[in-house]
Amino acid sequence: MPSKASSSIKDGHTHKISEATVSRLPAYYRALSQLADAQQIRISSEELAALTGVSSAMLRKDLSHLGSYGTRGVGYEVEFLRYQISREMGLNQDWSVVIVGVGNLGRALAHYGGFGSRGFRVVALVDADQTLIGTKVKCGAEGKTVELLVHALSDLEDVIKETNARLGVVATPAESAQVVSDRLVKAGIRSILNFAPVHLSVPEGVDVRKVDLASELQILAFHEQRKAI
Amino acid sequence: MPSKASSSIKDGHTHKISEATVSRLPAYYRALSQLADAQQIRISSEELAALTGVSSAMLRKDLSHLGSYGTRGVGYEVEFLRYQISREMGLNQDWSVVIVGVGNLGRALAHYGGFGSRGFRVVALVDADQTLIGTKVKCGAEGKTVELLVHALSDLEDVIKETNARLGVVATPAESAQVVSDRLVKAGIRSILNFAPVHLSVPEGVDVRKVDLASELQILAFHEQRKAI
DNA sequence: GAGGATTTGTGCTTTTTTGCACAAATGTGT
DNA sequence: ACACATTTGTGCAAAAAAGCACAAATCCTC
């Protein structure tokens, strides 16, 4: 044991992980989970890179920011690496999610199985529509479906306090999104996933990620148009 | 009319627009559309930047890649700029979209109003589930709803030919996504929006944009975890 | 236990993206 | 007609991201 003695030091990776790397970690995590399900023990950066659509060099550099978890000449241990990523990303704990807006999209999100399987639990549904409030909506995919009551938007603060939700999903029409966002922030939510096609302005310290379906199609259309030359 | 005579020359902007710029154009377009609806005639880069969440310098540089459409000391004309962006992005034509996978998400997408209002028309629905094939699903938001028949996955190629769809949306489970993608490509589709949580490998010349809901939440969770320090 | 075959981790280079700051261009008021 | 207040467009600098290439570490075989 020549130099590996103080491994506890190198584990304490506090240096910043770049945003680009963070955005790719989920893909690595997902691929590793599938490999683990398929009982694969080890994988090389080359293979994992192919599975996730990045270059092997980029993959290795990304992973190196978490720590030195591979073995030269061998590769990475699937289960071990998966665990390290999940730990780094905070996926070994459960995250409670409140969805505001129970229209088509909100319901589809509530029903989406991909959440529950990765530590995300939809704990509350909120809407402004009087005809929806009080109704029950199925949450989660097969296996672990729960029926959730749709709460009134006016109860938002209480619902968040009671359920201890830390992530907010905005799936309302564009007109109401900013108001809803403001109230989420006021209720203590500091991480918001926004599906409404508007830019949300939030105070410093609050993160917003936006998913805009129409924008994605527009970007595709732009490139498609250029191909036709 | 002093120097504006030969404007047809400067319009021929063939130099490459950076990917980062392209990804922001939809947001500008949307904001400008809202401003136009609100009858606003002019807007400065500072204001438009605030509406879309970018810096004014970045906005100006982005727009400068399309052409010189602003007036110094004044700003941009809302309607004119909106038109220029839509032309550049190919939004003054209609784009036909085929959605494969008519589960919760697929249905929510079909129903989504944001598409139709921006030149995207869902022209076909396809699924592998025998219990869904032949059923009718409402497409589009209020005002212009159409009922579309769900076609069998085995008819995919025919459906694409008949409807002339150029954009494909994959809203299937992860297991079937790659197979569906291959068939879309074989049928001539070269632009795919993928909602399935897997990386799609496609031949060169085909564009894939992916929207992964769980990944977005994971990225938020990562940052949220760091805040708790 | 030495040599060869792998595969990681990373220093360095190149490319892309963002940010700054100011000259150029326009409108306004006198 | 001239000075002044705006606001765009852009050259240049800084920062971030991606790509290359190879030394270092490990395993395997003889």
Side-chain angles (χ1 to χ4, degrees), chain B:
Chain B
M1 56 197 87
S3 60
K4 281 246 186 167
S6 59
S7 68
S8 60
I9 289 172
K10 74 158 193 208
D11 285 352
H13 271 273
T14 45
H15 74 90
K16 213 164 185 314
I17 298 179
S18 84
E19 199 52 41
T21 296
V22 173
S23 72
R24 285 186 293 263
L25 289 180
Y28 305 153
Y29 177 78
R30 197 175 49 204
L32 288 167
S33 298
Q34 285 171 356
L35 290 167
D37 288 348
Q39 313 284 334
Q40 188 165 335
I41 304 297
R42 274 200 276 263
I43 191 161
S44 70
S45 64
E46 201 73 49
E47 291 173 286
L48 186 53
L51 282 175
T52 51
V54 302
S55 76
S56 65
M58 198 155 84
L59 170 64
R60 288 198 301 273
K61 190 166 285 184
D62 282 343
L63 295 182
S64 76
H65 291 133
L66 311 185
S68 195
Y69 297 136
T71 310
R72 300 182 187 208
V74 180
Y76 300 91
E77 285 200 32
V78 172
E79 184 52 54
F80 181 64
L81 184 57
R82 193 191 71 84
Y83 169 74
Q84 292 300 339
I85 293 180
S86 84
R87 190 180 52 77
E88 186 73 30
M89 299 208 72
L91 303 179
N92 41 5
Q93 61 184 283
D94 264 20
W95 292 94
S96 299
V97 180
V98 53
I99 297 180
V100 184
V102 194
N104 290 293
L105 185 58
R107 252 193 300 273
L109 293 173
H111 220 90
Y112 181 49
F115 290 158
S117 62
R118 281 170 228 171
F120 297 101
R121 192 171 298 169
V122 178
V123 293
L125 301 174
V126 176
D127 203 297
D129 186 346
Q130 284 294 340
T131 65
L132 282 174
I133 297 167
T135 63
K136 286 187 176 176
V137 172
K138 273 186 212 152
C139 282
E142 326 100 50
K144 257 204 170 182
T145 48
V146 186
E147 287 215 325
L148 280 182
L149 205 67
V150 178
H151 291 271
L153 184 57
S154 50
D155 296 339
L156 183 60
E157 286 78 1
D158 293 338
V159 170
I160 289 174
K161 255 177 208 148
E162 278 167 34
T163 57
N164 256 309
R166 292 180 68 185
L167 306 180
V169 173
V170 176
T172 68
E175 303 82 61
S176 6
Q178 183 63 60
V179 178
V180 166
S181 165
D182 292 344
R183 293 189 55 187
L184 283 171
V185 171
K186 207 177 289 179
I189 297 285
R190 286 185 298 177
S191 296
I192 295 175
L193 184 55
N194 177 33
F195 286 89
V198 276
H199 169 75
L200 297 181
S201 56
V202 292
E204 183 150 332
V206 178
D207 276 330
V208 176
R209 290 191 67 86
K210 86 170 176 211
V211 176
D212 187 340
L213 311 173
S215 289
E216 297 296 332
L217 281 185
Q218 287 177 0
I219 295 168
L220 281 175
F222 172 82
H223 291 300
E224 178 75 18
Q225 189 190 31
R226 298 255 154 148
K227 288 176 191 167
I229 300 168

Side-chain angles (χ1 to χ4, degrees), chain A residues 39-56:
Chain A
Q39 314 283 335
Q40 188 164 335
I41 304 298
R42 276 203 275 264
I43 190 159
S44 70
S45 63
E46 202 72 46
E47 293 173 283
L48 187 53
L51 282 175
T52 50
V54 302
S55 77
S56 65

